[in-house]
Amino acid sequence: MSEEDFKSTIAEYLEALPPQFCRRVFSNPAACLAIFRLLSTVGKQLIMSMLYLEAPIRLHDVHQWAKHSHLRTLKSKVHQLRKLHILAEEKGMVSLNPIFREQLRNALTGGGDFSSFGVPYRGGNSDDRIGAGRLARYADERWETILHFMVGRAADVRPPSDSVRGILKMSRLMEEGADGMRITNRGFQFLLQDSASQVWTVLLQYLRLAEIQDMDVVEVLNFLFQLVSLQLGKPYSAERLTGNQRKMLNELRDFGLVYQDEKDAKRFYPTHLIASLTSGSGSSEPAAPSDSREAAGHGGRAIVGGDALGAGARSKIPGSSVVGKQRFSELLAPSEKGYIVVETNCRVYAYTDSPLHIAILNLFVHLVSRFSNFVTGVLTRTSVRRALSHGITADQMIAFLTTHAHPQMQGNVPVLPITVTDQIRL
């Protein structure tokens, strides 16, 4: 997830919250940890460097933590933390928000109210538990149903619920037409995003919907941060949830973000769609362009790297969503890991049998032939222009092809042939 994607979702939302609302959000250890995980490497290191400082530190001293050539980057990250109300500055002295500092300490050390990370379900037996593979299939089926509906290929699948259609309309991803709902230019752009960015877009719209319905926004926000902090494959109790949280659970279930058996409403499971948002294990972020050692100041304190502010930064904090030794990338189907091959002559080969993948490719690729698990096509002037007319940008097409490139292409630098990217931009 890019820095701009993050800003257009949670970061800008938090920045716009009044200080008293932020204090309520920061009083939740799970929320503090989720926000921490969403920050860039620079932001994380700034926070960790001040986490156990009881007294404010001079801003001038903080600037010494980076080389002069990276000072602008450091100042930018400090400014972002101030806008998020995590960092406070007064008379040239800076310190962490005391509530955020205390609750992040609790989250990292196991202190405070640990029920903010969910209450594990103790009933039933191990045979009743839902496996990670089944959860992944359930989540993918629900999510792909929504995307099928958006691209107009929902004839053979169950249409999404009213709440899902309402959020699609509110976010202007779809609009009412003469023949029913139809996709908008913004919807075409949405389809080419990675799944994590798509989920963040939906969650932001859900927050806006909560405001319209006069729900407690802080309660909604804290529950979302709780869900992204839960462990994949582990059941959690729904008995202690409030009325608003139960309502959220039912609506998020329609998106495939959580699994809850209608016959056993006492427990629920987070799926990989929401549990991976802050773990970074499903991210396709490119590597940081500069080495952290290169950016280190005197004393080797490297706090300025090339990471973007978003959900792609990896975190090694205990509690990352892992089932045994299986990470999210191992739970995905082979075609989800990377299925597209692009040649220098603009020919495209997709190793997939998914109607959804084929429909999305058809947005900007002229498809030539289709086999049982293989599709061929070509990037033509006409197909690219058609995509541009729908509001899809050249960078989004390139990003989609790069994100879903076949593993054998991932080792190339750059991943896509330069001739292809140049032709798309021209």
Side-chain angles (χ1 to χ4, degrees), residues 57-227:
I57 183 173
R58 291 195 310 163
L59 182 59
H60 176 74
D61 293 338
V62 174
H63 292 167
Q64 300 303 309
W65 294 350
K67 284 185 176 180
H68 181 73
S69 58
H70 295 274
L71 187 57
R72 179 178 297 181
T73 302
L74 177 62
K75 289 182 177 180
S76 172
K77 299 305 179 183
V78 170
H79 180 64
Q80 289 171 353
L81 292 178
R82 287 176 56 197
K83 290 198 298 182
L84 290 169
H85 309 288
I86 294 175
L87 205 62
E89 180 182 353
E90 185 177 359
K91 297 180 180 180
M93 307 293 289
V94 293
S95 62
L96 290 180
N97 181 307
I99 301 176
F100 181 88
R101 179 180 61 205
E102 178 185 359
Q103 296 306 327
L104 182 58
R105 285 181 185 177
N106 288 334
L108 296 176
T109 59
D113 180 17
F114 221 68
S115 63
S116 66
F117 289 92
V119 179
Y121 181 73
R122 302 299 183 187
N125 54 61
S126 58
D127 294 336
D128 296 332
R129 296 204 172 184
I130 309 299
R134 179 178 170 185
L135 283 175
R137 289 191 296 272
Y138 163 83
D140 291 341
E141 179 182 344
R142 286 293 179 101
W143 191 254
E144 289 192 6
T145 296
I146 297 172
L147 300 184
H148 273 291
F149 180 73
M150 292 183 64
V151 297
R153 295 175 176 265
D156 56 342
V157 296
R158 186 175 62 182
S161 65
D162 292 340
S163 62
V164 172
R165 293 198 293 269
I167 288 181
L168 293 177
K169 286 178 59 177
M170 181 193 300
S171 57
R172 298 197 296 274
L173 299 177
M174 300 190 74
E175 61 185 8
E176 290 289 351
D179 300 325
M181 294 184 68
R182 62 185 182 188
I183 192 170
T184 63
N185 288 350
R186 181 176 293 187
F188 282 115
Q189 297 174 17
F190 176 84
L191 289 174
L192 294 193
Q193 292 178 337
D194 60 275
S195 60
S197 298
Q198 291 174 341
V199 173
W200 277 122
T201 300
V202 168
L203 293 181
L204 177 65
Q205 297 304 322
Y206 191 87
L207 286 169
R208 292 175 176 168
L209 179 63
E211 292 180 354
I212 295 174
Q213 296 177 346
D214 292 328
M215 298 173 66
D216 186 345
V217 174
V218 175
E219 180 185 8
V220 173
L221 193 57
N222 279 339
F223 188 57
L224 291 178
F225 282 138
Q226 174 182 315
L227 291 176

Side-chain angles (χ1 to χ4, degrees), residues 349-421:
Y349 305 94
Y351 294 86
T352 179
D353 58 359
S354 168
L356 177 62
H357 294 162
I358 297 171
I360 294 176
L361 272 178
N362 193 44
L363 294 176
F364 61 96
V365 176
H366 173 66
L367 300 182
V368 177
S369 58
R370 177 177 177 180
F371 302 94
S372 59
N373 61 346
F374 182 67
V375 177
T376 66
V378 59
L379 286 161
T380 65
R381 184 183 183 89
T382 302
S383 65
V384 172
R385 275 190 168 183
R386 182 180 70 242
L388 293 173
S389 68
H390 287 149
I392 300 174
T393 66
D395 287 340
Q396 287 173 331
M397 293 181 241
I398 293 171
F400 180 84
L401 294 173
T402 302
T403 300
H404 298 282
H406 193 277
Q408 291 186 1
M409 289 191 63
Q410 294 290 351
N412 300 338
V413 181
V415 175
L416 298 181
I418 296 178
T419 54
V420 174
T421 57

